Amino acid sequence: MGKLFAVVLTIITVVSAGLIAAHVWWLPVDISTIGPRIDRQMDETMVATGILFLSSQLILACVVWKFGDKRDGGKIKYFPGGSGPLIGFAIALVGIEILVLSFVGSKVWAAVYMSPPEPDALHVDVAAEQFAFYFRYAGPDGRFGVIHPERVRDGNGNYFGLDPANDVAARDDVIVGTLTVPVNRPIFLTMHSKDMIHSFYVPELRMQQDILPGLNIPLHFTATQAGKYEIVCTQLCGLGHYSMRSFLEVLPQDQFDQWLKSQSGD
Ligand SMILES: [Cu+2]
């Protein structure tokens, strides 16, 4: 029985590690400037944790193979010195690995979160709610209208609580349900939530950011490939969470200009 277990354990270990190493189920194509660094970090993490995973499972299989059936007269073999030092060693090893990975990974994290957006970035304001995303562009005047939370009303399409009657800057704000951006241009998002925690996730951008009520959360990226990509909410935000999604549409600059102009109604 012990030998059979050792064989099955070895097969499961090697096959699952092989599937990950071969990137059989992996992230979709990367379309952001930060993507290659994130992917490399992910690979490094997988190699470091993979070595620990493979060695621990294979050592376990070897031990079970060798000692699993030897229960002569009910005698149980113990590791010299007991299991305490071994457990201590394993905890220290995993702890050091997590610390090192966090330290190395923090550089990529900082490149996204600790650096300011480019000065020429296109600013898009994002509102998340149960169960939709809305995107707002400043319009031809380049200024966003002021948000009045008490004016937010889905019934008349005032998702951002604007007051166009009294606020000139709000009159030309463009509000849409699809995040449309020009390719190769830095994009700066500010995101807020109307009701509860949501999350902005675009696997192709390698970006996932929680949106918390009461905060205006910044995020910046540059998309490098035109196309249409799915935006999904990855925080369980209520009964309709499964349907909370939108699209990121990356267009060549001239097509984007045309699109924005048509939305502004000029
Ligand atoms: Cu949500």
Side-chain angles (χ1 to χ4, degrees):
M1 205 50 205
K3 287 197 165 56
L4 180 66
F5 177 76
V7 171
V8 172
L9 180 63
T10 305
I11 292 172
I12 292 175
T13 303
V14 171
V15 169
S16 56
L19 286 174
I20 290 171
H23 285 191
V24 174
W25 293 297
W26 204 244
L27 288 161
V29 59
D30 152 51
I31 62 148
S32 84
T33 48
I34 192 75
R37 289 183 67 186
I38 292 175
D39 286 0
R40 200 171 61 233
Q41 181 62 44
M42 192 94 135
D43 279 336
E44 283 171 12
T45 303
M46 283 301 181
V47 169
T49 51
I51 289 170
L52 267 192
F53 170 72
L54 277 172
S55 50
S56 60
Q57 297 304 308
L58 294 180
I59 288 170
L60 176 63
C62 284
V63 171
V64 171
W65 177 275
K66 207 157 182 295
F67 303 110
D69 289 331
K70 285 187 184 162
R71 288 280 177 91
D72 31 32
K75 247 173 52 192
I76 298 170
K77 286 194 169 69
Y78 289 101
F79 194 79
S83 58
L86 264 185
I87 294 172
F89 172 72
I91 290 173
L93 190 67
V94 173
I96 289 169
E97 183 177 36
I98 290 173
L99 272 180
V100 169
L101 283 175
S102 315
F103 179 72
V104 175
S106 65
K107 277 194 250 166
V108 184
W109 185 85
V112 178
Y113 287 99
M114 304 299 275
S115 67
E118 315 266 336
D120 64 330
L122 172 71
H123 186 176
V124 183
D125 195 29
V126 183
E129 63 171 64
Q130 291 174 318
F131 298 98
F133 294 98
Y134 295 103
F135 305 96
R136 180 165 73 126
Y137 301 74
D141 68 352
R143 288 190 305 142
F144 283 106
V146 178
I147 289 177
H148 304 274
E150 71 280 5
R151 287 184 172 271
V152 172
R153 204 152 299 143
D154 283 6
N156 59 11
N158 197 355
Y159 306 109
F160 285 83
L162 302 182
D163 182 13
N166 300 304
D167 180 6
V168 181
R171 283 179 202 163
D172 65 350
D173 283 12
V174 170
I175 294 163
V176 290
T178 295
L179 177 56
T180 307
V181 300
V183 71
N184 292 327
R185 165 124 184 247
I187 308 298
F188 175 49
L189 302 181
T190 45
M191 309 192 280
H192 64 270
S193 167
K194 219 176 78 180
D195 35 43
M196 60 175 301
I197 186 167
H198 297 284
S199 186
F200 173 90
Y201 180 38
V202 183
E204 288 85 353
L205 287 179
R206 304 293 191 264
M207 293 210 154
Q208 184 174 35
Q209 173 61 55
D210 282 353
I211 310 171
L212 289 96
L215 292 177
N216 209 15
I217 296 174
L219 186 70
H220 58 95
F221 65 87
T222 304
T224 55
Q225 253 181 68
K228 197 172 181 182
Y229 312 95
E230 195 178 21
I231 302 170
V232 282
C233 174
T234 42
Q235 281 289 356
L236 189 52
C237 57
L239 280 178
H241 162 68
Y242 71 94
S243 65
M244 183 165 172
R245 63 168 198 167
S246 177
F247 287 96
L248 165 71
E249 192 147 23
V250 184
L251 297 176
Q253 182 74 49
D254 54 330
Q255 280 180 38
F256 171 79
D257 292 339
Q258 247 172 40
W259 171 83
L260 191 61
K261 220 173 157 191
S262 70
Q263 293 295 326
S264 313
D266 300 343

